Amino acid sequence: IHHMNYKSMLFTINNKTLYRSSGAHRIATHIREQGWNCEVVDFVDFWELEELQELISSRVDEHMKFIGFSFLFNNASAESLIRNLCIWIREKYPEVILLSGGQTMLPDMQHFDYHVAGYGEYALDALLKYLFSNGEKPKFDVMRSLGKTKVIDALHSYPAYPFKRPNIFYEKRDFIQQHEWGMIEFTRGCKFKCLYCNYPILGVTEDHTRDADSVREQMLRNYNEFGIENYVVSDETFNDHTEKIVKFADVVETLPWKPYFTGYIRADLLISRKQDWDHLIRMGFLGHFYGVETFNAKSGKAVGKGMNPDKVKQGLLEVKKHFSDASNNMYRAIVAMIGGLPYETVDSLNDTTEWFRKNW
């Protein structure tokens, strides 16, 4: 149902990081396709309460239906700011619905009317139809609802995965600068089940990749309108399937510029599947984040990372050399380790640190 006059605002709370997270822009793109006027406001952690109040006052009219807050993590730093803003909105504009959404629940949630947990496209569709189009009542999660805040568990009640066209389109009022990196999603779900991971969609066996033409559509439009060339990839593990890498490298090669991608790459897979290396290079996926977690063999087995640590070290050095040589030294990689896993000792942690000092 198209609501050409219905307005909404989405605020992104992101722990004072200097990049825009994708959630609010993904949701905004989704509901704009259904006729909503939706404005996204980024970097809220850097605003003063009075500035946010002034902005909202300049936007609210009889068409403003809801104001939403998108959380990447539990953002304690912005909690009092959001609380005070919600109290003010509630007093000044009681007819405006207050929503929050994200992968996590916030400790202090009673200021919102509704919270959507997980990938929220279909859950939000159901909620907006219910609120503004005489739609049926959504499936609320009674167990997780807090006080007056009704919670929708999108993951189980309105699963939005796989999602074949998760486009993110920006607007002039986002004030995107040419040097900024866009956010892009190639897959929802991860085929692995690492024991420390709280990502909700694990053990995926079927093809969850998005449509190739929608990747081209998103990147071309953002390039033509804003000059955006480079992207942060939000997938939990980008290199889970060779076919996926080839599919998107083929798309990227049709673009009129050479983009640069950065995101999560599983190191043990990369090391054991050398056939993937040149496809990643041809795609421009040259910024890697490896969750290696430990160089202690027993610790690795305990959390589902079974590759021999010596093989991992040797493999990382080979990867580093190959990617650097083939990309004119454009390869950059961060290795993440976990301190304090079972069986880890102070000695093994010191040895690990020493190896990175020497080799990385």
Side-chain angles (χ1 to χ4, degrees):
I1 293 171
H2 288 260
H3 304 297
M4 295 321 282
N5 292 323
Y6 279 13
K7 284 169 59 175
S8 59
M9 295 181 82
L10 293 175
F11 292 88
T12 296
I13 295 90
N14 201 7
N15 268 342
K16 291 206 169 181
T17 47
L18 292 175
Y19 66 86
R20 302 169 194 255
S21 54
S22 56
H25 289 282
R26 170 81 278 275
I27 290 297
T29 304
H30 180 72
I31 66 173
R32 283 174 197 143
E33 287 165 358
Q34 293 154 60
W36 279 79
N37 173 342
C38 183
E39 180 174 12
V40 177
V41 181
D42 290 300
F43 310 117
V44 168
D45 312 64
F46 294 97
W47 292 59
E48 298 296 329
L49 178 63
E50 295 72 28
E51 294 171 329
L52 291 167
Q53 290 170 339
E54 192 183 329
L55 176 73
I56 290 168
S57 296
S58 73
R59 300 296 194 264
V60 174
D61 56 22
E62 73 273 18
H63 302 300
M64 182 65 73
K65 297 301 177 187
F66 75 85
I67 293 175
F69 296 86
S70 172
F71 297 90
L72 187 57
F73 301 112
N74 286 346
N75 291 72
S77 60
E79 215 168 284
S80 63
L81 176 69
I82 302 308
R83 177 168 53 246
N84 292 333
L85 184 61
C86 287
I87 290 167
W88 175 82
I89 295 170
R90 183 79 79 222
E91 282 173 7
K92 186 155 187 192
Y93 306 109
E95 70 287 354
V96 174
I97 303 279
L98 288 173
L99 305 180
S100 69
Q103 298 289 358
T104 53
M105 299 275 284
L106 294 174
D108 184 12
M109 284 193 34
Q110 69 267 29
H111 307 292
F112 306 113
D113 297 302
Y114 303 96
H115 176 81
V116 178
Y119 292 107
E121 289 94 345
Y122 298 147
L124 190 61
D125 287 348
L127 181 60
L128 296 182
K129 281 180 185 143
Y130 167 66
L131 293 172
F132 306 116
S133 305
N134 297 319
E136 59 184 65
K137 186 178 175 183
K139 301 171 195 151
F140 293 120
D141 185 341
V142 183
M143 301 300 289
R144 285 166 77 188
S145 295
L146 299 163
K148 292 185 186 132
T149 308
K150 294 187 170 68
V151 174
I152 301 180
D153 181 349
L155 188 71
H156 297 106
S157 300
Y158 298 93
Y161 60 93
F163 203 93
K164 291 299 185 178
R165 307 189 76 80
N167 282 326
I168 292 173
F169 296 133
Y170 301 106
E171 295 190 329
K172 284 211 164 44
R173 58 185 168 177
D174 294 325
F175 303 103
I176 292 269
Q177 306 300 301
Q178 191 173 342
H179 68 266
E180 288 192 63
W181 293 51
M183 295 291 289
I184 194 162
E185 175 186 7
F186 292 102
T187 320
R188 281 189 188 174
C190 182
K191 80 176 196 181
F192 303 106
K193 293 182 177 176
C194 299
L195 297 182
Y196 49 81
C197 183
N198 64 356
Y199 179 69
I201 313 165
L202 299 174
V204 170
T205 51
E206 63 276 19
D207 181 6
H208 271 203
T209 54
R210 70 187 280 183
D211 292 346
D213 67 316
S214 79
V215 169
R216 193 166 195 281
E217 180 188 19
Q218 176 178 338
M219 293 185 69
L220 265 178
R221 181 156 150 191
N222 291 336
Y223 176 74
N224 289 333
E225 290 184 12
F226 302 102
I228 295 173
E229 296 187 354
N230 307 317
Y231 282 86
V232 176
V233 176
S234 62
D235 297 30
E236 289 304 298
T237 306
F238 180 74
N239 64 325
D240 47 1
H241 299 283
T242 299
E243 301 76 20
K244 169 183 171 184
I245 302 168
V246 172
K247 171 180 175 176
F248 295 120
D250 289 349
V251 175
V252 168
E253 284 197 320
T254 70
L255 298 170
W257 80 98
K258 278 184 89 74
Y260 191 110
F261 295 92
T262 183
Y264 293 93
I265 294 282
R266 184 149 167 154
D268 53 0
L269 281 188
L270 187 66
I271 290 162
S272 59
R273 291 210 308 239
K274 291 189 176 178
Q275 73 268 24
D276 294 350
W277 294 9
D278 288 337
H279 293 304
L280 286 165
I281 290 162
R282 132 181 116 83
M283 180 175 171
F285 206 126
L286 300 170
H288 295 185
F289 186 102
Y290 307 128
V292 171
E293 322 313 358
T294 180
F295 281 155
N296 180 312
K298 272 183 89 173
S299 306
K301 282 205 172 66
V303 294
K305 296 274 172 123
M307 183 177 270
N308 180 296
D310 292 331
K311 192 175 174 187
V312 175
K313 290 177 190 170
Q314 181 60 37
L316 285 175
L317 295 180
E318 286 176 24
V319 165
K320 181 179 169 188
K321 178 164 179 18
H322 183 87
F323 274 75
S324 298
D325 290 350
S327 69
N328 200 15
N329 283 328
M330 291 293 286
Y331 168 74
R332 294 288 180 275
I334 291 173
V335 183
M337 310 298 276
I338 299 177
L341 289 176
Y343 311 111
E344 194 80 72
T345 65
V346 174
D347 285 345
S348 64
L349 284 171
N350 285 338
D351 290 345
T352 296
T353 311
E354 203 44 51
W355 187 87
F356 281 116
R357 280 215 183 99
K358 251 191 216 135
N359 298 288
W360 209 252

